[in-house]
Amino acid sequence: MRILVVEDEVDLARTLHTGLTAEAYSVDLAHDGRQGLWMARTGAYAAVVLDLMLPGLNGYKVCAQLRRESNATPILVLTAKNGEWDQTEALDTGADDYLAKPFSYLVLVARLRALVRRAAAVAPPVLAVGDLSLDVAARVCRRAGARVDLTPREFAVLELLARRAGQAVSKADLLYHAWPDDALDPNLVEARVSVLRKKVDAPFHRQSLQTVRGIGYRLVDDRERG
């Protein structure tokens, strides 16, 4: 699960990166508002941690622009501006929660978890492609009613393919979604897809995980072939 942290205090940003990574999140950092807005637009994030006092474009404007573009990614404002007017403006602009500096790291993580849970509650709880289903909240995969045990990494790869069912998904997108920031080798994706085929396709005589030559992979409903 990927989190975007938009924070211009470099030391704090690095601390958040280290801490959230330890909580099993993949974390991207942006140090100014314009970069943060661009990344929030182009990345698939479970949540955004957003400072208000940012160079280039302040957090209020970043938040407002995302909401104007119908970007519903949960936003947790994290800022030294602790007045009630600041909090009210942030929430009215479209933020989902507000945490003032200095803050408790435990509270930050708990609030992020709550935001992600609420966002998941309004998203489709189960992704289905033919007789293959993924319960995103419970992290359970089933095919033709039978449970298929997947590792967290395998589930993340299959989840992205299921969310874009029928579409070609590049190895770069899969790598970005399912691996930490320092993972750059597309062979990691190839190896994981090979294992997934042995788990979700071969035992059920399916070929739903397809290679798209020169691009990556796609997940399709191939039951008519079964």
Side-chain angles (χ1 to χ4, degrees):
M1 193 173 294
R2 190 167 288 272
I3 303 292
L4 174 62
V5 174
V6 189
E7 170 60 64
D8 65 326
E9 295 181 34
V10 175
D11 288 343
L12 176 57
R14 288 174 178 166
T15 298
L16 288 170
H17 184 282
T18 300
L20 291 172
T21 299
E23 297 289 333
Y25 293 107
S26 294
V27 183
D28 290 339
L29 298 179
H31 298 300
D32 66 71
R34 295 189 186 281
Q35 181 189 25
L37 176 60
W38 179 83
M39 292 175 69
R41 282 170 167 165
T42 58
Y45 295 102
V48 176
V49 177
L50 178 67
D51 189 18
L52 290 183
M53 303 304 291
L54 293 165
L57 197 67
N58 69 44
Y60 297 117
K61 293 181 179 178
V62 172
C63 186
Q65 184 62 34
L66 289 172
R67 296 311 186 223
R68 278 195 294 270
E69 296 171 2
S70 299
N71 186 318
T73 303
I75 296 175
L76 171 63
V77 164
L78 184 64
T79 181
K81 293 171 69 68
N82 195 23
E84 61 182 25
W85 288 106
D86 300 311
Q87 181 174 352
T88 299
E89 185 177 358
L91 295 172
D92 285 345
T93 301
D96 298 277
D97 202 354
Y98 186 105
L99 193 59
K101 302 174 184 176
F103 59 90
S104 162
Y105 182 74
L106 290 176
V107 172
L108 169 68
V109 172
R111 290 192 175 188
L112 270 178
R113 284 198 298 261
L115 288 181
V116 172
R117 281 198 306 270
R118 288 200 292 270
V122 299
V126 177
L127 302 172
V129 182
D131 61 354
L132 178 68
S133 66
L134 295 175
D135 186 325
V136 177
R139 314 305 284 177
V140 171
C141 173
R142 295 184 185 277
R143 172 140 250 175
R147 180 161 177 160
V148 180
D149 291 328
L150 302 178
T151 68
R153 195 83 67 197
E154 290 161 1
F155 193 96
V157 170
L158 197 58
E159 179 186 352
L160 184 59
L161 290 167
R163 289 188 183 280
R164 301 186 190 176
Q167 303 176 31
V169 181
S170 70
K171 293 177 185 178
D173 280 352
L174 289 164
L175 198 63
Y176 180 85
H177 177 76
W179 273 267
D181 299 341
D182 57 353
L184 301 174
D185 186 358
N187 289 327
L188 292 171
V189 178
E190 294 174 10
R192 202 66 61 170
V193 169
S194 177
V195 173
L196 278 169
R197 283 175 169 152
K198 293 175 183 177
K199 290 186 174 183
V200 303
D201 272 352
F204 303 92
H205 308 290
R206 296 276 194 263
Q207 295 180 6
S208 58
L209 270 168
Q210 300 181 347
T211 298
V212 182
R213 191 175 298 277
I215 299 176
Y217 304 94
R218 67 171 159 240
L219 182 66
V220 301
D221 177 5
D222 71 331
R223 285 176 296 178
E224 64 275 11
R225 301 181 185 178

